[in-house]
Amino acid sequence: MKSRQTYSWVGRPLLDPKLHHQTYREMSVKVEGCSTELHIHVGQFVLVEGNDDENPYVAKLVELFEDGSEPRSRKRARVQWFIRFCEVPVCKQHLLGRKPAAQEIFWYDYPACDSNINAETIIGPVQVVALAPDEVIPTDLKNEKTLFVKLSWNEKKFSPLSPELFAQLEKLQEGSPRCQKSVEAKTKNIESPSCTTAERAVKRVESRHSSSKSRPAPTHPVTPRARKRLELSSSPRTPNTRISRQTSWASPDSPRRTKRKAALSEITSPSKRSQPDGLQTPSPARKAPEKTGEIQRRSCAKDDKKVSAERHMTLRPRVPALKTTVLSEERRLTPTRGGRRSSMVPSVILIPENIRKREAEEPEAQDEAVSSRHHTSRKSSLLTLNQIKQQLRFLGKSESDSEDEEFLPAAEIPDSSSEEEEDSTSPLPRTPSGASRNLRSSTKLSLQTPSKTPKKTPKPRTPHHATPRIRSRNLAAQEPASMLEEARLRLHVSAVPESLPCREQEFQDIYNFVESKLLDQTGGCMYISGVPGTGKTATVHEVIRGLQQAAQANDVPPFQYIEVNGMKLTEPHQVYVQILQKLTGQKATAIHAAELLAKRFRTQGSSQETTVLLVDELDLLWTQKQDVMYNLFDWPTHKEARLVVLTIANTMDLPERIMMNRVSSRLGLTRMSFQPYTHSQLQQILGSRLKHLRAFEDDAIQFVARKVAALSGDARRCLDICRRATDICEFSCQKPGSPGLVTVAHLLEAVDEMFSSSYITAIKNSSVLEQSFLRAILAEFRRSGLEEATFQQVYSQHVALCRMEGLPYPTMTETMAVCCQLGSCRLLLVEPSRNDLLLRVRLNVSQDAVLYALKEE
Amino acid sequence: MSSRKLKSNNLKHSECLSQVQRILRERFCHQSLHSNLFGVQVQYKHLIELLKRTAIYGESNSVLIIGPRGSGKTMLINHALKELMEVEEVSENVLQVHLNGLLQINDNIALKEITRQLNLENVVGDKVFGSFAENLSFLLEALKKGDRTSSCPVIFILDEFDLFAHHKNQTLLYNLFDISQSAQTPVAVVGLTCRLDILELLEKRVKSRFSHRQIHLMNSFGFPQYLKIFKEQLSLPAEFPDKLFAEKWNENVQCLSEDRSVREVLQKHFNVSKNLRSLHMLLMLALNRVTSSHPFMTAADLMEANQLCSMDSKANIVHGLSVLEICLIIAMKHLNDIYEEEPFNFQMVYNEFQKFVQRKAHSVYNFEKPVVMKAFEHLQQLELIRPMERTSVNAQREYQLMKLLLDSTQIMNALQKYPNCPTDVRQWATSSLSWL
């Protein structure tokens, strides 16, 4: 866990009468339990908490001010952002045209980006060196904490820094003597970058441990085991490098991550800012990492000491090795000694910052950074999903789990640590339009209207995204043993075939449509219709799968795919909520989500990649005002939205039938209709599913295909019939022991079972009185010539009939019971029985069918 | 001494009888799983195979069990589940969700109930149940997470399935069937309904996702089987503590089943309804007549019970009416005859009654109008007459149109049995013109 930090202003406020807020020149950050302070001046380069612990945001501090309009978080800062290469959208990274240097950042020339931040998210100063366009970025980095800026990035292209900007930056650089000094004091404690992979694994182990070590929660005794292992593993090296490496790794894994969370929670929940020190309270989601690092947390007090050792090293590289060993030893033995270090290192105040600096000093760290960058870029497509996962994992990991981890054998640790590392690298890169920026803008909004913005998204304390699953089974599911079972498995509708036969044309059309939109970077709508079970949704899924593969191969630009289903919504307006959640992970009410989405899709440059939206069961999104449909089709018409909307419904003329003109006009004329499968197509589908599996006779397949094609052309029906036929076949063939082929007879039985009406059998199996009541109804209908009669009329007929047939006299109560029984089966349609004698009775079956059923006896 | 012996014998007898009554009542009232299934072996096999495949292979399925009330749908599924749970590899692996259309009257309640029965609410931690929309997406997400081989299969049992089809948009059914047709958590959706037209109730998309497997229970047995069921339902089990008594009892049951009058009673009952529940009702009534002084059921008991069962309830109400009320009903009957089932009002009935009292009646006192009105209102409260439309506040009650809810044959039969019916009233009832 991160130690508490107190932010306070230094110097007198410079009151700005126009802006109604007070500006400051300097801010001091004080770490709790440590007497030193870190001063941050306006004009300095700072690191700002971001989603990515390893690469915090870099910015230049432009202004520090106190905002009176927001009661909770008063300390604000205005910054000029820099952007790291890994934060550049993946699809744009190639625009640089060369490999970026490890320490290279870019001047972020993008006015739309919100530059107003909470001052309490500032981590600490950092050194940034501006380079002239012709200068080469020093590759033999002596001081890895220094960042270099050479180009600017404006979301469209990289361009060299303008001369005045360059001069300004240059001047700034000169102006900060402290940084300058550290640049000069380049240390030689760097390992050669050619360390073996084994070594690296070891380092990971170490880093993992040290990461937990650095956490400031000094209560538990240190578990010596993990520590010892560390020492062993790093024996060939000089102790001081080891320590520095350790400490450098302290940051990326834990404190920063937790800190980032804190930052998020701070940003998102204003209630938290009310705390005087502006720091986070431990959220439940953070419990897990806390525990993981339990061993070393206690030793965090020494963290600063480590830092001090480190600092000495930086200044005097020839620190005797012995001394550091002693230091580390000391650390182990005396876990809580917070008071001392301040005297040793007066200049060091902010732990994370120092850690970060040290991190930059190491080539391994660099290696890791590169690899993590790789992670980030790979994962940038997953964006929010990962965040959700991460939270889930924290949540899901039980305490015992993480405690176990500490005592895992050494061999296993690299795995888990890499997993953790993934965790820490997975979160959002600072893409200007991604959720993070949104977040920032929402913070800005909250400045003016604090109550309005629902800042819910990444609030770590309530696991909104914690979607549990059905518990997994104890015993593994059996695999199919016989051929019929295998066939049954393949015939299940859920089985995903490798290809969709008979829909090649439709597939190609949809693919071309979406691909062209992706390539043109425009938006558009498409309406797909067809009766149920004709493969509409399956085809679209197939298209998306194909496009996603193409996007991976860089054939088409990457895109985001979202799917909503009208049937899976409780109410049409919920579609906004779902889209927003899938797009950004935010949660909002329907009205607010609509606003946010409209803003996103209608404002310039809000998205950098195309969004493909599939709306299934469109007809259920119909509302009186049709505003949902209108919006869905209106967004793609905006050039900036880059939204491709694919809609699916059953009826071909839905746009004409239920949509207003202005809605259907926006939907456009890109329509496609899926015809019901013909018998040959169904045959082909069955054939492709049963490839190399002789479970069905050819005739049988043809029979079922023709039967279904004649009925509905629904592929689901076809598969279900076949599946049922395998059951029947298995059942009937059980006696000889060898289940044979499914024949036409089996299929015929299955079809009969599924489609034959049960009314006739129901009448045949009904009781004598029920049958005679039906006869009485027929007689009454014949008498009156109407298709409807009251119960009283039928009753008199019934009495007469019973007398004729020699049945005992039926009382009214009995007859009423009979009538209700028939009514509950829906052989009769009856009114509610409170109408008693006057209730009207109609047949739900044709009179001929009743006659036929009754005659049989 | 002999008297003491007799007494102890008696005591033993009464103990045995209370045992018998307990066992049999349990059998008739609770659908105990110990009773055997009658004539539904094929259906049972189909169902159990289906459930086993879901439980063991993780294959999703959906099926409807259709049959009239009392045909044993619930018993069938309960038997199947019981057998399924006895299989070792299944018992730990299957989750069950029982829903009833009468209890879960909308999808929101149903979703909450599903979440509760799946024990998912623990996982959400501090999050209390949110809106309907959140619940739905939550549950769908949960079910979507699973896959065929690793997730625990869930068996959904939807009793009164037809009522779920009336929910808005059939959201729940669509989603359940959609899960059963896609590669998510394996589910088996079993619907129980008595409606034969259930498939027509399903929306086309829902219908397409339903596998169209239907198991029909049709009470397709004949009278000989009915007789066998009767015997089986009444016999005592072999593990009855007093073997001697059980033997005697079962012997008696055998005799009963061969008795002609008993057969007649059963045949009559069978003709009315094949429903086993009505048989249970009959046997229950007969069983209640068994006492220590009358330890074995006789044919007379059954006949009496049958009479009770087939009694006309409205005629019984008429037996308890006052003479004035009977007179009013007769007046209404005449009005119905004259005006051919046209509705009448109080004034018409009163006039008719006045005619009778003034010209013919000797025994009936000429009541004042308010008294007659009161009697008329009493008839309305008994629902022997029914207003044509809703009573409005300002309408005059005398002129409100009414309909008689008794058939003329019913009235005549009831009068036959009416105790101490004055002869002139009886005469008036037979003919509206008799007083002329």
Side-chain angles (χ1 to χ4, degrees):
Chain A
M1 301 250 53
K2 176 186 138 178
S3 67
R4 309 198 142 219
Q5 296 168 356
T6 323
Y7 292 80
S8 59
W9 299 128
V10 175
R12 307 199 51 185
L14 314 163
L15 198 64
D16 188 336
K18 259 187 292 180
L19 294 168
H20 303 290
H21 55 231
Q22 301 168 313
T23 53
Y24 293 84
R25 298 282 315 153
E26 194 175 355
M27 183 176 70
S28 85
V29 185
K30 193 173 170 189
V31 181
E32 202 176 82
C34 164
S35 60
T36 49
E37 290 182 352
L38 183 77
H39 292 265
I40 298 167
H41 303 269
V42 170
Q44 236 177 344
F45 297 98
V46 289
L47 293 174
V48 178
E49 283 175 16
N51 294 337
D52 189 348
D53 281 335
E54 250 153 84
N55 298 313
Y57 297 156
V58 184
K60 195 185 114 188
L61 203 55
V62 176
E63 188 179 22
L64 282 168
F65 63 94
E66 175 128 3
D67 193 342
S69 62
E70 233 277 22
R72 299 258 164 86
S73 143
R74 327 192 61 145
K75 296 187 179 59
R76 312 291 306 177
R78 189 156 292 130
V79 294
Q80 163 61 47
W81 292 109
F82 288 89
I83 191 164
R84 288 174 194 264
F85 186 67
C86 57
E87 289 161 10
V88 176
V90 188
C91 56
K92 303 266 179 64
Q93 286 184 350
H94 63 272
L95 291 175
L96 183 59
R98 61 176 166 88
K99 237 186 139 233
Q103 302 297 322
E104 188 168 6
I105 56 173
F106 306 96
W107 175 268
Y108 192 53
D109 181 19
Y110 191 65
C113 181
D114 180 20
S115 61
N116 185 343
I117 62 164
N118 184 352
E120 289 167 8
T121 56
I122 293 174
I123 300 167
V126 69
Q127 163 108 34
V128 175
V129 178
L131 296 174
D134 50 340
E135 268 181 278
V136 181
I137 296 173
T139 41
D140 53 335
L141 294 168
K142 323 249 165 67
N143 187 345
E144 284 74 17
K145 70 191 168 190
T146 315
L147 298 166
F148 299 96
V149 58
K150 193 172 168 186
L151 298 174
S152 74
W153 164 247
N154 64 354
E155 277 297 303
K156 288 196 174 61
K157 61 180 200 301
F158 292 95
S159 53
L161 295 174
S162 62
E164 52 271 36
L165 194 63
F166 180 71
Q168 189 195 342
L169 289 171
E170 197 80 326
K171 197 180 76 196
L172 261 169
Q173 211 172 312
E174 241 94 274
S176 65
R178 200 168 71 86
C179 300
Q180 203 70 330
K181 195 173 82 188
S182 55
V183 172
E184 275 151 38
K186 285 156 189 163
T187 50
K188 299 292 183 286
N189 63 340
I190 307 149
E191 294 218 344
S192 64
S194 61
C195 50
T196 63
T197 47
E199 259 177 326
R200 211 167 292 161
V202 169
K203 274 175 231 155
R204 278 193 189 180
V205 177
E206 286 173 10
S207 65
R208 196 185 134 63
H209 283 282
S210 52
S211 76
S212 28
K213 205 166 294 169
S214 67
R215 285 173 199 173
T219 32
H220 307 262
V222 177
T223 12
R225 231 175 104 198
R227 187 71 192 167
K228 231 172 249 165
R229 210 186 310 134
L230 275 180
E231 239 119 44
L232 287 174
S233 60
S234 60
S235 53
R237 298 205 203 114
T238 57
N240 53 1
T241 46
R242 201 201 71 233
I243 288 169
S244 62
R245 204 180 317 115
Q246 265 179 339
T247 40
S248 81
W249 266 99
S251 44
D253 264 355
S254 46
R256 247 194 261 173
R257 181 175 46 202
T258 49
K259 201 172 164 195
R260 183 206 55 200
K261 285 232 171 77
L264 285 177
S265 61
E266 256 176 54
I267 291 166
T268 50
S269 63
S271 66
K272 272 194 204 152
R273 290 194 205 122
S274 61
Q275 290 168 337
D277 48 5
L279 277 179
Q280 77 291 353
T281 47
S283 67
R286 286 210 324 259
K287 268 177 194 149
E290 224 176 299
K291 250 153 227 149
T292 340
E294 198 168 30
I295 339 168
Q296 287 106 342
R297 223 186 300 138
R298 67 233 54 269
S299 66
C300 75
K302 296 160 278 162
D303 205 67
D304 286 32
K305 207 199 293 167
K306 258 188 262 178
V307 166
S308 72
E310 171 76 4
R311 187 130 293 243
H312 288 306
M313 276 184 281
T314 352
L315 298 174
R316 288 171 284 138
R318 300 279 165 248
V319 172
L322 190 68
K323 192 184 165 190
T324 28
T325 342
V326 169
L327 256 171
S328 70
E329 201 72 20
E330 210 174 41
R331 231 176 275 157
R332 190 175 353 137
L333 297 174
T334 58
T336 45
R337 284 174 54 182
R340 240 180 71 186
R341 58 206 137 87
S342 54
S343 60
M344 290 173 73
V345 223
S347 67
V348 180
I349 310 114
L350 231 172
I351 300 171
E353 191 230 340
N354 285 302
I355 289 164
R356 216 153 281 142
K357 278 183 187 163
R358 255 170 285 121
E359 173 202 10
E361 279 164 18
E362 301 237 6
E364 299 102 277
Q366 237 179 71
D367 278 359
E368 286 296 341
V370 169
S371 74
S372 70
R373 192 162 303 169
H374 178 67
H375 275 303
T376 345
S377 65
R378 179 161 52 83
K379 286 207 170 120
S380 63
S381 60
L382 299 172
L383 291 182
T384 48
L385 191 72
N386 262 327
Q387 211 168 23
I388 294 164
K389 265 191 204 153
Q390 193 182 352
Q391 285 181 5
L392 242 177
R393 203 171 309 172
F394 289 152
L395 195 85
K397 235 183 231 169
S398 67
E399 314 194 345
S400 61
D401 223 328
S402 39
E403 248 153 26
D404 281 350
E405 241 170 284
E406 284 179 11
F407 303 106
L408 279 178
E412 291 205 300
I413 286 179
D415 284 358
S416 49
S417 81
S418 69
E419 180 194 305
E420 258 208 30
E421 183 187 300
E422 253 184 45
D423 274 0
S424 61
T425 53
S426 55
L428 308 173
R430 183 183 51 170
T431 46
S433 61
S436 58
R437 284 294 155 165
N438 274 357
L439 241 178
R440 236 173 246 175
S441 61
S442 80
T443 337
K444 188 184 177 186
L445 255 174
S446 76
L447 268 172
Q448 285 117 27
T449 53
S451 60
K452 223 172 162 183
T453 29
K455 292 148 268 174
K456 277 182 192 161
T457 339
K459 197 194 279 178
R461 59 160 60 204
T462 41
H464 279 292
H465 300 298
T467 44
R469 47 191 301 164
I470 305 299
R471 73 177 166 86
S472 55
R473 47 194 300 154
N474 300 344
L475 263 154
Q478 280 182 21
E479 287 308 314
S482 74
M483 196 163 67
L484 278 177
E485 278 167 10
E486 174 70 29
R488 198 181 297 134
L489 196 69
R490 289 200 202 171
L491 286 170
H492 199 283
V493 183
S494 71
V496 183
E498 308 91 64
S499 67
L500 286 173
C502 315
R503 287 293 180 226
E504 290 84 4
Q505 187 55 48
E506 286 85 353
F507 175 86
Q508 206 53 48
D509 287 355
I510 300 174
Y511 191 95
N512 290 345
F513 174 80
V514 181
E515 192 189 29
S516 68
K517 298 291 174 200
L518 285 179
L519 291 174
D520 299 351
Q521 307 202 326
T522 53
C525 295
M526 184 175 205
Y527 177 73
I528 301 166
S529 65
V531 292
T534 46
K536 302 178 295 295
T537 312
T539 307
V540 174
H541 282 167
E542 192 76 9
V543 167
I544 297 296
R545 212 179 307 145
L547 281 169
Q548 272 164 349
Q549 278 166 8
Q552 261 173 15
N554 269 331
D555 292 340
V556 295
F559 62 95
Q560 194 172 6
Y561 170 64
I562 296 173
E563 186 180 341
V564 287
N565 187 324
M567 269 291 203
K568 297 185 178 175
L569 303 171
T570 52
E571 197 259 333
H573 290 97
Q574 287 292 327
V575 77
Y576 298 130
V577 180
Q578 295 239 326
I579 294 175
L580 185 72
Q581 194 178 358
K582 285 172 180 165
L583 208 58
T584 66
Q586 274 172 288
K587 267 193 146 188
T589 59
I591 299 166
H592 190 73
E595 282 171 13
L596 287 177
L597 286 173
K599 198 168 145 203
R600 183 192 163 99
F601 289 126
R602 285 186 184 154
T603 48
Q604 181 77 40
S606 54
S607 71
Q608 78 283 6
E609 61 180 29
T610 310
T611 309
V612 179
L613 174 66
L614 169 62
V615 183
D616 215 341
E617 317 291 3
L618 177 72
D619 49 333
L620 285 160
L621 297 182
W622 187 88
T623 52
Q624 191 61 47
K625 280 170 68 191
Q626 308 201 352
D627 47 342
V628 177
M629 285 184 180
Y630 179 86
N631 276 335
L632 281 179
F633 303 140
D634 189 43
W635 293 332
T637 58
H638 294 264
K639 173 89 178 67
E640 316 80 41
R642 298 223 202 129
L643 181 67
V644 182
V645 177
L646 303 172
T647 55
I648 297 181
N650 290 128
T651 40
M652 195 152 56
D653 56 344
L654 188 83
E656 285 74 33
R657 228 158 24 90
I658 69 167
M659 289 183 201
M660 293 176 192
N661 285 337
R662 59 168 177 269
V663 178
S664 57
S665 137
R666 278 174 173 76
L667 173 57
L669 292 169
T670 320
R671 308 235 180 122
M672 162 167 293
S673 86
F674 279 60
Q675 298 303 320
Y677 289 111
T678 62
H679 68 90
S680 59
Q681 286 175 325
L682 286 172
Q683 212 171 326
Q684 204 180 329
I685 290 170
L686 286 176
S688 80
R689 289 217 178 206
L690 294 170
K691 216 181 283 167
H692 314 306
L693 201 69
R694 258 198 76 74
F696 280 72
E697 280 181 1
D698 292 342
D699 282 355
I701 289 181
Q702 183 158 7
F703 167 77
V704 70
R706 281 181 186 278
K707 191 87 191 171
V708 173
L711 279 167
S712 61
D714 186 338
R716 291 197 186 103
R717 213 49 339 96
C718 191
L719 295 171
D720 282 331
I721 292 173
C722 289
R723 221 151 54 84
R724 175 73 186 125
T726 58
D727 282 2
I728 295 170
C729 174
E730 197 174 55
F731 189 45
S732 60
C733 294
Q734 236 161 24
K735 292 112 205 174
S738 58
L741 289 178
V742 179
T743 61
V744 176
H746 296 133
L747 279 164
L748 201 60
E749 200 180 329
V751 169
D752 269 355
E753 199 181 278
M754 286 182 174
F755 293 109
S756 70
S757 146
S758 47
Y759 289 114
I760 307 274
T761 29
I763 294 173
K764 275 184 195 165
N765 285 320
S766 52
S767 73
V768 177
L769 218 57
E770 282 161 0
Q771 290 181 348
S772 74
F773 189 77
L774 285 172
R775 279 207 187 89
I777 290 175
L778 288 183
E780 179 59 31
F781 283 178
R782 209 173 301 129
R783 189 190 68 80
S784 68
L786 298 170
E787 291 278 291
E788 190 180 271
T790 65
F791 177 75
Q792 195 171 14
Q793 292 165 329
V794 180
Y795 177 68
S796 51
Q797 291 280 352
H798 188 209
V799 170
L801 257 175
C802 284
R803 202 170 291 148
M804 256 163 50
E805 289 181 17
L807 288 168
Y809 171 78
T811 61
M812 181 77 87
T813 312
E814 278 174 342
T815 317
M816 186 57 102
V818 163
C819 177
C820 288
Q821 173 89 349
L822 291 173
S824 76
C825 292
R826 286 299 187 279
L827 282 169
L828 299 182
L829 296 174
V830 294
E831 284 184 323
S833 54
R834 72 186 148 80
N835 286 348
D836 209 48
L837 281 187
L838 307 176
L839 73 85
R840 280 176 299 211
V841 180
R842 303 174 70 166
L843 276 177
N844 197 24
V845 209
S846 75
Q847 296 192 22
D848 295 336
V850 178
L851 270 179
Y852 167 76
L854 293 175
K855 212 187 280 174
E856 284 289 293
E857 290 172 62
Chain B
M1 189 193 148
S2 70
S3 76
R4 205 194 301 160
K5 194 179 172 188
L6 197 74
K7 206 178 168 187
S8 72
N9 234 354
N10 265 349
L11 204 83
K12 216 170 151 209
H13 241 108
S14 64
E15 257 173 36
C16 279
L17 278 174
S18 66
Q19 278 272 354
V20 168
Q21 296 213 329
R22 193 181 56 75
I23 290 174
L24 293 184
R25 276 179 189 154
E26 215 163 72
R27 195 180 286 170
F28 299 151
C29 294
H30 306 155
Q31 290 171 327
S32 62
L33 290 175
H34 306 291
S35 52
N36 297 321
L37 292 165
F38 302 101
V40 288
Q41 274 69 28
V42 180
Q43 288 95 327
Y44 181 70
K45 177 118 188 159
H46 184 178
L47 182 64
I48 191 86
E49 282 293 312
L50 193 103
L51 291 179
K52 267 186 186 161
R53 276 211 307 280
T54 300
I56 296 170
Y57 298 103
E59 180 188 309
S60 292
N61 273 311
S62 49
V63 67
L64 280 178
I65 304 176
I66 304 170
R69 299 218 176 271
S71 55
K73 303 179 291 291
T74 309
M75 193 170 72
L76 186 77
I77 181 77
N78 283 345
H79 266 270
L81 285 175
K82 188 171 160 244
E83 192 189 317
L84 195 71
M85 286 307 160
E86 279 163 6
V87 180
E88 213 171 287
E89 53 197 334
V90 172
S91 55
E92 285 293 301
N93 267 338
V94 171
L95 297 169
Q96 289 181 28
V97 176
H98 292 262
L99 301 176
N100 191 317
L102 293 169
L103 299 177
Q104 281 80 41
I105 51 166
N106 61 42
D107 283 347
N108 194 9
I109 300 173
L111 288 176
K112 283 182 186 173
E113 183 65 17
I114 293 171
T115 320
R116 191 187 68 72
Q117 292 193 20
L118 288 177
N119 286 326
L120 285 175
E121 74 266 49
N122 299 338
V123 191
V124 217
D126 58 338
K127 189 166 176 277
V128 196
F129 276 111
S131 66
F132 179 24
E134 279 175 344
N135 280 338
L136 181 68
S137 56
F138 170 80
L139 193 70
L140 290 179
E141 193 73 28
L143 289 168
K144 207 174 176 177
K145 280 267 152 56
D147 63 354
R148 185 181 72 82
T149 46
S150 65
S151 291
C152 200
V154 187
I155 297 178
F156 287 93
I157 292 137
L158 307 180
D159 216 339
E160 310 292 347
F161 182 83
D162 46 320
L163 296 179
F164 286 99
H166 294 304
H167 293 181
K168 191 187 162 227
N169 284 349
Q170 304 190 348
T171 309
L172 180 76
L173 294 184
Y174 177 90
N175 286 309
L176 283 181
F177 286 143
D178 195 50
I179 292 164
S180 83
Q181 298 248 321
S182 53
Q184 302 179 5
T185 304
V187 294
V189 183
V190 183
L192 311 181
T193 181
C194 60
R195 289 186 64 161
L196 295 167
D197 62 344
I198 182 67
L199 284 184
E200 292 157 35
L201 290 181
L202 297 179
E203 210 251 0
K204 59 181 182 304
R205 288 168 280 210
V206 181
K207 193 174 168 184
S208 168
R209 282 167 174 77
F210 169 57
S211 74
H212 280 62
R213 280 169 193 250
Q214 302 164 53
I215 297 176
H216 286 280
L217 296 176
M218 283 300 179
N219 286 333
S220 50
F221 46 79
F223 185 66
Q225 275 156 306
Y226 193 72
L227 212 59
K228 223 166 97 188
I229 294 168
F230 162 78
K231 258 192 299 187
E232 227 165 289
Q233 289 290 305
L234 221 49
S235 312
L236 287 176
E239 58 267 21
F240 191 75
D242 191 338
K243 298 272 183 241
L244 205 71
F245 182 84
E247 218 167 86
K248 268 161 106 184
W249 175 274
N250 288 345
E251 221 168 83
N252 179 51
V253 170
Q254 180 65 32
C255 288
L256 275 180
S257 68
E258 282 155 15
D259 188 281
R260 239 190 92 188
S261 55
V262 171
R263 281 187 176 223
E264 252 168 44
V265 167
L266 287 177
Q267 178 75 57
K268 194 168 168 243
H269 209 77
F270 178 73
N271 282 350
V272 174
S273 163
K274 285 175 157 187
N275 191 336
L276 285 191
R277 269 189 213 148
S278 73
L279 176 68
H280 284 155
M281 185 52 121
L282 179 81
L283 297 180
M284 186 74 141
L285 290 171
L287 182 72
N288 289 345
R289 303 178 64 83
V290 171
T291 57
S292 54
S293 56
H294 174 71
F296 296 107
M297 213 182 267
T298 59
D301 292 338
L302 278 169
M303 278 157 78
E304 195 116 349
N306 183 44
Q307 220 159 27
L308 270 176
C309 278
S310 60
M311 194 122 59
D312 190 345
S313 50
K314 263 193 218 153
N316 286 354
I317 293 175
V318 172
H319 291 165
L321 293 178
S322 68
V323 175
L324 173 61
E325 284 156 352
I326 288 276
C327 289
L328 289 183
I329 285 181
I330 293 169
M332 290 171 202
K333 172 179 173 284
H334 290 323
L335 284 175
N336 268 349
D337 289 345
I338 296 164
Y339 298 111
E340 290 177 331
E341 310 285 323
E342 285 296 306
F344 49 82
N345 59 28
F346 170 72
Q347 199 56 49
M348 292 160 78
V349 177
Y350 185 68
N351 290 343
E352 193 74 19
F353 176 64
Q354 283 290 316
K355 272 192 245 169
F356 165 65
V357 169
Q358 283 163 10
R359 306 204 187 163
K360 188 78 182 171
H362 313 293
S363 55
V364 181
Y365 178 74
N366 189 4
F367 294 102
E368 285 171 40
K369 199 171 174 185
V371 178
V372 181
M373 184 72 192
K374 189 77 192 159
F376 189 78
E377 278 172 356
H378 186 226
L379 289 180
Q380 188 182 339
Q381 276 164 8
L382 290 171
E383 290 210 329
L384 292 175
I385 55 175
R386 190 166 164 271
M388 288 298 284
E389 60 265 336
R390 296 226 164 271
T391 40
S392 56
V393 188
N394 46 8
Q396 278 185 297
R397 281 178 299 173
E398 292 92 329
Y399 301 108
Q400 195 172 18
L401 291 178
M402 295 287 198
K403 273 237 165 192
L404 181 63
L405 294 185
L406 282 166
D407 198 49
S408 57
T409 51
Q410 253 178 320
I411 297 168
M412 296 316 286
N413 288 343
L415 271 181
Q416 297 294 319
K417 289 178 195 160
Y418 188 78
N420 307 321
C421 184
T423 19
D424 46 350
V425 173
R426 195 168 286 171
Q427 271 180 356
W428 179 44
T430 46
S431 162
S432 59
L433 307 171
S434 62
W435 46 268
L436 286 176

